[in-house]
Amino acid sequence: MLEVVFGDSAAGSLSVAIGRVLGQAPIGVGDTWFALRIEQMIRDGLLEPVTQPKPGDPAYHRILRKCAGK
């Protein structure tokens, strides 16, 4: 899934990543599922936030990057 999320880049916008994944997902799989999966990837140490959203903005308004060595 990391290849789909970021392609050849080491970092990118979470909202753009979800859009890319949705473009390749089967019908019926929603953006919420992907957002939750990406949050789990952060908890698992596969991704890390580079920026944080402004207060009141959704969590997908941030930049993520692949963790080194993953």
Side-chain angles (χ1 to χ4, degrees):
M1 185 166 161
L2 283 176
E3 296 79 25
V4 175
V5 171
F6 290 112
D8 294 333
S9 302
S13 164
L14 178 55
S15 58
V16 171
I18 291 173
R20 281 189 190 136
V21 173
L22 283 173
Q24 297 184 17
I27 294 174
V29 178
D31 59 333
T32 301
W33 187 89
F34 290 114
L36 292 172
R37 179 66 186 112
I38 290 171
E39 290 300 321
Q40 184 63 46
M41 294 170 88
I42 292 169
R43 288 190 294 277
D44 291 344
L46 298 172
L47 299 172
E48 63 184 348
V50 175
T51 63
Q52 293 298 322
K54 295 176 186 174
D57 282 352
Y60 58 82
H61 283 193
R62 60 185 169 174
I63 304 296
L64 302 176
R65 69 175 164 218
K66 297 177 194 176
C67 290
K70 302 286 180 171

